[in-house]
C-alpha cells in the first residue's frame, strides 16, 4: 500500500512538472534563439598633445614634472552601449575628465615621482555596461638621463 501511494505521488509530481515545462517552453526558447552575447568594446584609440603638438612616434617628448598632456580617446562598441573610461598611471595624476558615449578627454599631469630614464606610461580602460573591457597602453615618453 505504501509503495502504491508513493508511486501515485511521484507520477503526479512528474505530470505536473511536464505540464509546467510545456506551458512555459516557448518564451525561453525564443529568448535563447534571439540571444547574442555581449561584445567587448574595441581598443581605445588615443591622441596625446603637449602644447598643441601631437605626441607620436615622429614627435617624442621628454616628460618632466608638472607637464600637462591632453589626451583624447575614442572607442567603438559593437553593442552601441555607453562606455566608461578609466585612466591609471603611477607617474602622475589626471584632471578635468569629460566623457561622452564613446569619447573621453582628460589632462594628465606628470608627477614629481619620476626617475631618470623612466618610461612614463598610462593605461586607458574602456568598459561597457556589462563590464566587458578593453585597454590601451599609452607611452608619453622617456625621461632624460640627467637631473630631473
Amino acid at each position: 500500500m505504501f509503495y502504491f501511494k508513493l508511486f501515485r505521488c511521484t507520477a503526479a509530481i512528474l505530470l505536473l512538472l511536464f505540464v509546467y515545462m510545456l506551458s512555459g517552453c516557448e518564451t525561453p526558447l525564443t529568448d535563447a534563439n534571439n540571444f547574442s552575447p555581449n561584445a567587448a568594446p574595441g581598443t581605445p584609440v588615443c591622441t596625446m598633445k603637449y602644447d598643441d603638438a601631437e605626441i607620436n612616434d615622429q614627435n617624442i617628448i621628454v616628460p618632466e614634472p608638472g607637464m600637462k598632456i591632453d589626451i583624447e580617446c575614442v572607442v567603438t562598441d559593437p553593442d552601441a552601449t555607453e562606455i566608461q573610461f578609466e585612466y591609471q598611471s603611477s607617474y602622475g595624476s589626471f584632471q578635468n575628465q569629460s566623457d561622452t558615449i564613446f569619447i573621453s578627454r582628460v589632462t594628465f599631469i606628470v608627477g614629481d615621482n619620476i626617475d631618470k630614464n623612466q618610461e612614463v606610461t598610462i593605461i586607458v580602460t574602456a568598459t561597457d555596461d556589462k563590464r566587458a573591457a578593453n585597454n590601451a597602453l599609452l607611452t608619453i615618453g622617456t625621461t632624460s638621463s640627467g637631473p630631473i
Side-chain angles (χ1 to χ4, degrees), residues 44-47 70-75 83-87 96-107 124-126:
V45 176
C46 303
T47 56
D70 294 318
I71 302 169
E72 179 178 281
C73 295
V74 178
V75 95
I83 302 298
Q84 300 295 320
F85 292 87
E86 181 183 359
Y87 297 88
N96 302 328
Q97 182 173 343
S98 66
D99 299 340
T100 60
I101 295 174
F102 302 117
I103 300 172
S104 177
R105 292 178 182 88
V106 70
T107 300
V124 182
T125 304

Side-chain angles (χ1 to χ4, degrees), residues 17-88:
L17 184 61
F18 180 72
V19 169
Y20 175 74
M21 289 175 56
L22 285 179
S23 67
C25 196
E26 184 177 330
T27 302
L29 284 180
T30 303
D31 291 346
N33 288 335
N34 294 328
F35 173 76
S36 64
N38 182 44
T43 301
V45 176
C46 303
T47 56
M48 300 178 290
K49 291 185 178 182
Y50 174 68
D51 280 345
D52 292 326
E54 189 171 334
I55 301 169
N56 54 38
D57 293 340
Q58 288 74 41
N59 185 26
I60 299 171
I61 66 165
V62 177
E64 296 177 6
M67 278 185 154
K68 292 183 178 184
I69 312 294
D70 294 318
I71 302 169
E72 179 178 281
C73 295
V74 178
V75 95
T76 56
D77 183 33
D79 302 319
T81 58
E82 186 170 351
I83 302 298
Q84 300 295 320
F85 292 87
E86 181 183 359
Y87 297 88
Q88 298 174 328

Side-chain angles (χ1 to χ4, degrees), residues 126-138:
T127 307
D128 69 10
D129 63 342
K130 294 197 172 59
R131 298 186 203 173
N134 215 329
N135 58 36
L137 178 66
L138 309 178

